[in-house]
Amino acid sequence: QQQQQQQQQPCTWDDGAILRCFTLAVESHDVDLNDDDDDDDDGGGAGEDHVNWAEWFTAITSASNGRFRILNRETPWVAEYPNFLNDAEVDELIRISVQEVYRDEDEYPNHIRDVSVTNCDSIRCMTEPFINELYGRVSDMVGFAPNSFESMEFIHYGPGQHYRWHADEYSWKYPPKKVDPVTVLSGPRVLTMFFYLSDVTEGGETAFAGPDATGMTRRLAVTPRKGKMILWANMKDDWRVSEPAAVHSAIPVRKGQKIAATLWIHSSGFRIPELYAGRQCHARYN
């Protein structure tokens, strides 16, 4: 009975617990964006407030033997991997997404975002073997631990559906004004990885705004292709400040269907609160 009461104990977060978790997240982070060592003379290291995205994107694309290429060498930094997923892997992700049941997105009015979505945040989805395999593959590629990933979001656009110009992340500073453990631990969405799970007959491109952040000087538009993955940086080299040129939109689908998945990658342990809190807080990630 005492054990049962302990499992039902609600989560409590004081400043001490939050700071302990923050330290844990930073210490376990493979890409140490919080490195205080200013003695990096080669320019490849990340200082306390700085990461060299040019060198970072060059490094990860160079390691792919030509399969992963940089699409844009001025802000925003965007790279493309045309055949990151094979047909069987795409089919498996679609099966998982349908299993999780799509719903009409209602966070924004339809003139801003008109799309069906579902998230991989159930126990069933998060324990799917291929989801874990994919997270591991992504982690090996980008050097961020899987506990820095949000749950994958699956999206389905039909004809006429779209998402207007928006940012995936905004400027972030530690400590935040309001003490929220996830915000404190995870920092901003430094990267977005986007998987195309279908071809689109016409329309449906992912467009990036460019320097004015309004889309009026559209710098780049990526055509959907089944199995393709694109990756972009949401933040400036000062990785706590958002990159206006990373504002992007989902161009309306004119013919066909656009099925895709988004994986947002934070600067550190997005999942640490679930791990640290224990089972009484219904931890969902292992």
Side-chain angles (χ1 to χ4, degrees), residues 196-216:
Y196 296 99
L197 306 183
S198 68
D199 293 327
V200 180
T201 306
E202 189 176 337
E205 296 89 352
T206 305
F208 292 87
D212 69 356
T214 66
M216 296 297 291

Side-chain angles (χ1 to χ4, degrees), residues 110-130:
N110 282 353
H111 73 278
I112 294 177
R113 191 185 192 200
D114 185 9
V115 65
S116 297
V117 299
T118 189
N119 295 91
C120 186
D121 55 7
S122 69
I123 291 288
R124 176 178 59 184
C125 188
M126 297 180 74
T127 54
E128 285 280 356
F130 183 61

